[in-house]
Amino acid sequence: MATKTSTAQHVFRQRSSVGLAAVCGVTGLLLLLSLARNWASYPRPLFAAWVIFGLAVAWSVFVRPVVLLDVGGVTFRNVVRDVFIPWTRLTDATSRWNLKVFAGDKGYTAWAISSEVERPKGASGGMFRMPIPGRLHGVASADAKPSTNAPKATAQTVTRLIKVAKQEYDEAVAQGELRAEPEAVVQVTWVPLVMAVLLLPALVVVALSLG
């Protein structure tokens, strides 16, 4: 991934996903506790494997997907892969169905943010607005205390924030506040850990079903 001047990030995830993940987590935990309590008299390994597999799917679908913004660019953390689009390559962002960011003619969709109908709201100011010099470095300060007035994470709101951040990045580069990185490229990375978390319980389910 391209070198960044700050490791702080703005994190966007829809509240509905968090709620669904919480419901799935609590349900799965209760089922596992029930299985553990009755295991000595009534072991059910296949059902336990299904519960664990369901929890793995819920985590990968509802918890892991997220959109990250920092001074280096935009990162989509999708179900089993990460996509990093540096500001130098980002050309557009849209929100027709899901949040989608373009690098030239190639588009990348965020699993975490879908389109929703929203009421018009006033502009919230620059994404990285900080006193010059180093206004883009203000991500760290902005993230130190989460704002209670943060906009709801929809494809529309995050698209606007990405466009504002891109504009501020271009202005900072033009004014010499940041060094341009023409060598930065879009990076698509498959995440082996997530694939293993999904694959292992699925294999156990298949093995127990066939056994």
Side-chain angles (χ1 to χ4, degrees):
M1 185 173 290
T3 302
K4 300 179 180 62
T5 56
S6 172
T7 58
Q9 296 170 317
H10 288 274
V11 180
F12 299 95
R13 180 188 287 114
Q14 289 187 312
R15 297 171 187 171
S16 58
S17 297
V18 177
L20 287 171
V23 171
C24 292
V26 171
T27 302
L29 180 59
L30 291 176
L31 289 173
L32 290 176
L33 289 175
S34 176
L35 286 170
R37 185 174 7 175
N38 301 308
W39 194 266
S41 59
Y42 186 28
R44 303 172 67 184
L46 179 57
F47 185 66
W50 272 112
V51 172
I52 294 173
F53 176 64
L55 289 174
V57 171
W59 171 77
S60 63
V61 172
F62 299 129
V63 178
R64 173 177 155 72
V66 73
V67 176
L68 307 172
L69 268 63
D70 59 23
V71 294
V74 180
T75 299
F76 290 166
R77 190 179 293 166
N78 290 334
V79 177
V80 293
R81 71 174 187 173
D82 295 343
V83 181
F84 171 70
I85 307 100
W87 295 120
T88 52
R89 299 300 177 196
L90 191 150
T91 54
D92 195 14
T94 63
S95 58
R96 182 177 181 182
W97 302 113
N98 284 63
L99 172 63
K100 191 171 186 178
V101 167
F102 288 86
D105 295 331
K106 178 67 174 179
Y108 301 90
T109 301
W111 181 280
I113 307 293
S114 60
S115 181
E116 295 182 11
V117 177
E118 60 177 353
R119 297 175 181 176
K121 298 178 181 178
S124 58
M127 183 69 181
F128 303 110
R129 187 176 59 187
M130 288 293 292
I132 296 176
R135 59 181 172 181
L136 286 176
H137 301 178
V139 180
S141 299
D143 284 346
K145 295 182 179 180
S147 173
T148 57
N149 297 320
K152 184 178 180 181
T154 66
Q156 292 87 348
T157 57
V158 179
T159 295
R160 287 197 296 267
L161 291 174
I162 289 174
K163 290 182 176 181
V164 169
K166 167 64 173 175
Q167 181 179 358
E168 291 189 353
Y169 174 85
D170 291 341
E171 291 175 353
V173 170
Q175 296 174 13
E177 298 172 23
L178 285 179
R179 182 177 62 86
E181 296 184 358
E183 72 283 359
V185 296
V186 174
Q187 297 191 11
V188 179
T189 307
W190 295 91
V191 185
L193 177 60
V194 181
M195 298 172 72
V197 167
L198 292 171
L199 184 60
L200 290 178
L203 291 176
V204 173
V205 168
V206 172
L208 292 174
S209 299
L210 296 177

